[in-house]
Tab-separated table of all heavy atoms in Angstrom:
chain	number	residue	atom	x	y	z
A	196	LEU	N	10.149	15.304	7.252
A	196	LEU	CA	8.843	15.808	7.693
A	196	LEU	C	7.728	14.780	7.519
A	196	LEU	O	6.667	14.916	8.119
A	196	LEU	CB	8.473	17.078	6.908
A	196	LEU	CG	9.411	18.277	7.052
A	196	LEU	CD1	8.944	19.418	6.167
A	196	LEU	CD2	9.497	18.735	8.504
A	197	PHE	N	7.969	13.753	6.700
A	197	PHE	CA	6.898	12.787	6.431
A	197	PHE	C	6.804	11.750	7.547
A	197	PHE	O	7.742	11.011	7.810
A	197	PHE	CB	7.132	12.063	5.102
A	197	PHE	CG	5.881	11.425	4.560
A	197	PHE	CD1	5.254	11.944	3.442
A	197	PHE	CD2	5.321	10.318	5.174
A	197	PHE	CE1	4.096	11.371	2.948
A	197	PHE	CE2	4.167	9.734	4.694
A	197	PHE	CZ	3.550	10.266	3.575
A	198	THR	N	5.655	11.706	8.197
A	198	THR	CA	5.365	10.670	9.189
A	198	THR	C	3.974	10.128	8.918
A	198	THR	O	3.115	10.824	8.377
A	198	THR	CB	5.422	11.216	10.628
A	198	THR	OG1	4.444	12.261	10.780
A	198	THR	CG2	6.795	11.777	10.951
A	199	PHE	N	3.748	8.886	9.277
A	199	PHE	CA	2.426	8.299	9.104
A	199	PHE	C	1.442	8.868	10.134
A	199	PHE	O	0.249	8.855	9.918
A	199	PHE	CB	2.500	6.782	9.227
A	199	PHE	CG	3.036	6.111	7.986
A	199	PHE	CD1	3.659	6.836	6.981
A	199	PHE	CD2	2.906	4.743	7.806
A	199	PHE	CE1	4.151	6.221	5.829
A	199	PHE	CE2	3.384	4.111	6.663
A	199	PHE	CZ	4.011	4.855	5.681
A	200	GLU	N	1.973	9.336	11.257
A	200	GLU	CA	1.143	10.001	12.253
A	200	GLU	C	0.987	11.478	11.876
A	200	GLU	O	1.891	12.072	11.283
A	200	GLU	CB	1.773	9.907	13.643
A	200	GLU	CG	2.005	8.471	14.129
A	200	GLU	CD	3.316	7.869	13.609
A	200	GLU	OE1	4.017	8.534	12.826
A	200	GLU	OE2	3.618	6.728	13.998
A	201	LEU	N	-0.157	12.062	12.215
A	201	LEU	CA	-0.341	13.500	11.995
A	201	LEU	C	0.510	14.233	13.030
A	201	LEU	O	0.287	14.112	14.229
A	201	LEU	CB	-1.813	13.877	12.151
A	201	LEU	CG	-2.180	15.341	11.876
A	201	LEU	CD1	-1.741	15.765	10.487
A	201	LEU	CD2	-3.682	15.547	12.047
A	202	SER	N	1.506	14.985	12.547
A	202	SER	CA	2.453	15.580	13.482
A	202	SER	C	2.967	16.912	12.957
A	202	SER	O	2.898	17.211	11.763
A	202	SER	CB	3.644	14.637	13.716
A	202	SER	OG	4.355	14.434	12.496
A	203	VAL	N	3.483	17.708	13.882
A	203	VAL	CA	4.176	18.951	13.557
A	203	VAL	C	5.602	18.786	14.058
A	203	VAL	O	5.848	18.731	15.269
A	203	VAL	CB	3.514	20.169	14.228
A	203	VAL	CG1	4.312	21.434	13.917
A	203	VAL	CG2	2.068	20.314	13.752
A	204	ARG	N	6.558	18.706	13.153
A	204	ARG	CA	7.929	18.424	13.520
A	204	ARG	C	8.721	19.704	13.744
A	204	ARG	O	8.342	20.789	13.291
A	204	ARG	CB	8.599	17.580	12.438
A	204	ARG	CG	7.765	16.392	11.980
A	204	ARG	CD	8.596	15.203	11.644
A	204	ARG	NE	9.065	14.499	12.836
A	204	ARG	CZ	9.737	13.345	12.781
A	204	ARG	NH1	10.016	12.794	11.615
A	204	ARG	NH2	10.146	12.757	13.887
A	205	LYS	N	9.832	19.564	14.436
A	205	LYS	CA	10.694	20.707	14.685
A	205	LYS	C	11.215	21.261	13.358
A	205	LYS	O	11.697	20.532	12.507
A	205	LYS	CB	11.870	20.273	15.579
A	205	LYS	CG	12.775	21.417	15.995
A	205	LYS	CD	13.874	20.931	16.922
A	205	LYS	CE	14.778	22.073	17.352
A	205	LYS	NZ	15.873	21.609	18.252
A	206	GLY	N	11.094	22.572	13.190
A	206	GLY	CA	11.523	23.199	11.951
A	206	GLY	C	10.615	22.889	10.779
A	206	GLY	O	11.054	22.875	9.623
A	207	HIS	N	9.346	22.622	11.054
A	207	HIS	CA	8.402	22.237	10.001
A	207	HIS	C	8.313	23.314	8.928
A	207	HIS	O	8.284	24.508	9.228
A	207	HIS	CB	7.013	21.991	10.605
A	207	HIS	CG	6.244	20.922	9.893
A	207	HIS	ND1	6.092	19.650	10.381
A	207	HIS	CD2	5.587	20.940	8.711
A	207	HIS	CE1	5.375	18.924	9.541
A	207	HIS	NE2	5.052	19.690	8.514
A	208	GLN	N	8.256	22.877	7.681
A	208	GLN	CA	8.143	23.785	6.542
A	208	GLN	C	6.979	23.374	5.661
A	208	GLN	O	6.566	22.205	5.665
A	208	GLN	CB	9.439	23.781	5.720
A	208	GLN	CG	10.673	24.232	6.482
A	208	GLN	CD	11.937	24.075	5.652
A	208	GLN	OE1	11.964	23.316	4.683
A	208	GLN	NE2	12.981	24.787	6.025
A	209	LEU	N	6.455	24.321	4.900
A	209	LEU	CA	5.410	24.023	3.929
A	209	LEU	C	6.086	23.651	2.613
A	209	LEU	O	6.686	24.493	1.949
A	209	LEU	CB	4.497	25.241	3.737
A	209	LEU	CG	3.319	25.041	2.764
A	209	LEU	CD1	2.388	23.937	3.262
A	209	LEU	CD2	2.552	26.350	2.596
A	210	VAL	N	6.004	22.381	2.260
A	210	VAL	CA	6.647	21.887	1.043
A	210	VAL	C	5.681	22.059	-0.127
A	210	VAL	O	4.536	21.596	-0.076
A	210	VAL	CB	7.054	20.410	1.197
A	210	VAL	CG1	7.643	19.878	-0.100
A	210	VAL	CG2	8.060	20.260	2.340
A	211	LYS	N	6.162	22.696	-1.184
A	211	LYS	CA	5.287	23.024	-2.320
A	211	LYS	C	5.864	22.522	-3.649
A	211	LYS	O	5.434	22.953	-4.709
A	211	LYS	CB	5.096	24.542	-2.389
A	211	LYS	CG	4.403	25.112	-1.146
A	211	LYS	CD	4.359	26.629	-1.165
A	211	LYS	CE	5.694	27.223	-0.742
A	211	LYS	NZ	5.639	28.684	-0.570
Side-chain angles (χ1 to χ4, degrees):
L196 299 177
F197 199 109
T198 60
F199 282 13
E200 301 84 357
L201 183 56
S202 63
V203 177
R204 313 215 77 175
K205 185 177 180 181
H207 213 103
Q208 299 174 340
L209 182 61
V210 176
K211 298 174 281 188

